[in-house]
Amino acid sequence: QKSATEMALKPSWAWQEKDAEGKTECTGPVLASVLKEAMKKTALELDANKPFNEQDLKFRSFGIFLDHAKEHTICLVKCPVHRGNVWIHHKGNEDKLPTLESIEVRDKTQKEAEDSNASALTGVQLVSGKARSKTAKYQIIQQPVAGSAVSVVGSVERPLKLSSWALWDSMKKPQFVCAPMVEQSELAFRLLCRKYGTTLAYTPMFHARLFLEDSNYRAEQFTTCPADRPLIVQFCANDPDIFAAAARMVEGQCDAVDLNLGCPQGIAKKGHYGSFLMEDMDLIYKLVNTAHTHCNVPITAKMRIFDDDAKSLQYAKMLQDAGAQIITVHGRTRENKGATATPANWEIIKKIKEHVSVPVISNGNIVTYQDVVNCLEATTADGVMSAEWLRRNPALFAGVEEQKQNPLDLTDEYLDLCGEYPCPISYMRSHCFKFLVELLNANADMRMQFVEAKSRDDLKACSAALRLRLSSTAA
């Protein structure tokens, strides 16, 4: 197998042009010049000013693979600007030098879109900007093509588009809710929580535009199974049509779709989503209402509060009016976060519950099962959501005594589920650290074994070693 340098620069791998004086080799730099002009012409934004040379190959990972046998296709160009692959097809014959007129250039996204007709299937079309960029603007197709994904009912065995209390009843009035957690509330973890009392679970927060445009992102991030019910899929978004289109893609695979309006992290500020939409009530209304109007799945919302109770009440009522069928209230402001966070305000959650007519889920201040009981009484909410402390103890909702599970048993059960429903090793490792935080604090020398684990089997071996250590100490 030849390196990119060999393929691009070695004469036997170079295009050749026949002229009156004989053969003239088309070496890497000459070919690259043509390709760069083609990329520039097709708005792929490759820097055409830098010469293509061996240093580029080494440091920019820019390789050209030539294949005369396969319809003269230059199969793959690694493009650092696009962080991916560009497919190039030479329409001439083997004896002709590629020119700007004889080359077609398609980036990976364009190729996938053309192959799968993704826009028609999702009921959305790109109307301006460039796909896979912040400039992309989409528009809902009022009448999607026949047989599209929009019309698929999927595996949810009940009528879609239930409203508020009908939706709540269809999910068997779930009181114990697993929060949406980025890269943490994945399928294996959700199923473990369900075993120990969780009655409703949210997926991790997904980026609506990436979910819409990137099939790999969808496949890697969103997995579910028949036992994973009831389920709410959460998206962050700041474009109403994109949010609605993403929601359409999961119709039939969940019970509802949630809009994240609570994320207070810096990445949400940079991306203009989550709690950083709170200054733009008109946009929030459009986000919820567009999805509510155009989708066959109920829309819900998860919000944070303002310092001003009146504004918080107005906010919640606006979400209901826009079409939110369930409202989850995190009883903290956007600024009240992290290690310095003060307790969530249950009083305002109770006021919101009294102010709206849809089910309300309370979020914040849940450490033990007794906190769950106290929260339901204090807020009169219909359900209680936990995030951080459910990560530490997936049996939190099991009951006063039942919540006291052996963390090593929980770890082993979780890793077994990961064998059936795989997820990245980083997710597994993070969960193990949360489950075993107290045991690893007391056995700090074993922490590095978990850090260095490269697979699920490695993590299981670490758990077994820790269990053996504890049993030997007890003996």
Side-chain angles (χ1 to χ4, degrees):
Q1 183 175 356
K2 294 178 172 59
S3 68
T5 302
E6 291 174 320
M7 288 185 177
L9 301 181
K10 190 174 179 180
S12 62
W13 285 85
W15 289 93
Q16 296 178 337
E17 179 184 24
K18 292 181 180 180
D19 54 24
E21 300 177 3
K23 283 188 177 181
T24 301
E25 294 177 351
C26 174
T27 56
V30 178
L31 179 57
S33 176
V34 175
L35 297 184
K36 286 179 179 180
E37 287 301 315
M39 290 181 189
K40 187 175 180 181
K41 179 181 177 182
T42 53
L44 294 178
E45 303 175 355
L46 185 65
D47 183 1
N49 295 319
K50 292 185 179 181
F52 182 84
N53 53 41
E54 193 164 347
Q55 285 188 336
D56 283 338
L57 288 170
K58 286 182 179 178
F59 298 112
R60 299 181 66 205
S61 298
F62 187 86
I64 297 178
F65 295 75
L66 308 180
D67 188 344
H68 290 211
K70 296 181 180 178
E71 298 180 346
H72 317 302
T73 298
I74 302 170
C75 296
L76 177 67
V77 176
K78 289 187 177 295
C79 176
V81 174
H82 289 270
R83 307 177 190 172
N85 302 327
V86 177
W87 296 82
I88 299 176
H89 181 69
H90 171 45
K91 295 180 291 185
N93 59 52
E94 185 174 344
D95 295 330
K96 292 277 187 161
L97 180 70
T99 65
L100 192 59
E101 290 72 29
S102 72
I103 287 180
E104 292 179 344
V105 183
R106 293 185 295 173
D107 70 17
K108 186 176 180 182
T109 306
Q110 291 170 322
K111 185 175 185 295
E112 289 178 351
E114 291 169 9
D115 291 343
S116 64
N117 195 20
S119 292
L121 290 177
T122 58
V124 66
Q125 59 186 358
L126 182 71
V127 293
S128 66
K130 190 174 71 172
R132 298 175 66 85
S133 77
K134 291 183 178 180
T135 64
K137 294 294 181 184
Y138 292 86
Q139 177 177 294
I140 293 292
I141 301 172
Q142 297 297 330
Q143 297 295 332
V145 296
S148 72
V150 178
S151 63
V152 175
V153 174
S155 60
V156 177
E157 297 180 357
R158 59 163 181 74
L160 295 177
K161 201 61 175 180
L162 296 175
S163 61
S164 59
W165 293 104
L167 171 63
W168 193 252
D169 290 343
S170 77
M171 298 191 296
K172 300 181 180 178
K173 302 178 181 179
Q175 285 191 314
F176 309 131
V177 186
C178 170
M181 294 173 279
V182 175
E183 298 183 351
Q184 293 300 293
S185 59
E186 84 287 357
L187 177 57
F189 179 75
R190 296 196 301 267
L191 293 177
L192 180 64
C193 292
R194 291 181 190 279
K195 178 180 177 180
Y196 288 100
T198 293
T199 50
L200 170 63
Y202 283 63
T203 67
M205 179 194 75
F206 302 136
H207 191 294
R209 181 178 58 78
L210 292 179
F211 196 91
L212 174 64
E213 296 177 336
D214 193 333
S215 59
N216 291 329
Y217 179 86
R218 291 195 299 273
E220 292 169 1
Q221 295 292 321
F222 179 46
T223 55
T224 186
C225 68
D228 189 29
R229 294 291 184 276
L231 177 69
I232 295 181
V233 177
Q234 188 187 69
F235 291 105
C236 67
N238 56 27
D239 182 300
D241 287 341
I242 289 178
F243 175 51
R248 282 180 162 186
M249 298 194 77
V250 297
E251 287 177 354
Q253 301 179 74
C254 62
D255 294 84
V257 168
D258 188 74
L259 176 63
N260 183 311
L261 297 169
C263 182
Q265 305 304 322
I267 191 172
K269 182 177 182 179
K270 182 178 180 181
H272 190 53
Y273 60 80
S275 64
F276 294 93
L277 298 178
M278 290 172 69
E279 284 78 20
D280 193 343
M281 290 293 159
D282 287 341
L283 175 57
I284 291 176
Y285 182 93
K286 290 176 183 177
L287 283 162
V288 175
N289 189 252
T290 300
H292 171 64
T293 302
H294 291 93
C295 296
N296 291 323
V297 64
I299 304 300
T300 68
K302 184 174 185 290
M303 60 173 276
R304 280 188 174 238
I305 61 171
F306 290 96
D307 280 327
D308 184 334
D309 284 4
K311 288 185 69 176
S312 297
L313 294 175
Q314 181 183 19
Y315 185 14
K317 184 61 165 58
M318 180 273 289
L319 290 174
Q320 175 181 299
D321 292 344
Q325 306 304 313
I326 298 172
I327 299 173
T328 299
V329 184
H330 188 152
R332 294 184 175 94
T333 63
R334 183 173 64 201
E335 295 73 26
N336 187 6
K337 62 179 182 178
T340 60
T342 57
N345 183 347
W346 283 356
E347 292 182 7
I348 185 59
I349 296 177
K350 181 178 182 181
K351 291 179 182 179
I352 290 174
K353 169 61 183 170
E354 295 169 348
H355 192 66
V356 299
S357 59
V358 298
V360 171
I361 299 172
S362 175
N363 182 206
N365 299 354
I366 304 301
V367 177
T368 68
Y369 184 81
Q370 188 58 50
D371 294 328
V372 176
V373 175
N374 295 342
C375 179
L376 289 170
E377 181 179 354
T379 64
T380 68
D382 302 286
V384 174
M385 175 181 285
S386 179
E388 179 62 22
W389 286 93
L390 192 63
R391 283 184 64 197
R392 295 194 184 195
N393 180 16
L396 188 154
F397 290 129
V400 174
E401 293 301 321
E402 293 82 353
Q403 68 182 324
K404 300 173 184 177
Q405 298 293 318
N406 183 330
L408 281 168
D409 291 343
L410 292 173
T411 301
D412 291 343
E413 288 184 67
Y414 168 71
L415 292 174
D416 287 342
L417 284 166
C418 290
E420 188 173 358
Y421 304 102
C423 65
I425 183 66
S426 59
Y427 297 12
M428 295 185 235
R429 186 185 295 111
S430 179
H431 280 303
C432 288
F433 279 129
K434 285 294 183 180
F435 299 159
L436 302 173
V437 58
E438 294 182 2
L439 293 179
L440 290 176
N441 284 342
N443 298 270
D445 59 306
M446 300 198 70
R447 180 180 296 273
M448 190 52 62
Q449 296 182 30
F450 285 87
V451 172
E452 295 174 349
K454 304 298 184 185
S455 67
R456 182 179 70 95
D457 288 341
D458 289 347
L459 289 172
K460 292 186 72 173
C462 292
S463 176
L466 181 55
R467 188 186 293 273
L468 181 61
R469 160 89 58 94
L470 295 176
S471 62
S472 299
T473 304

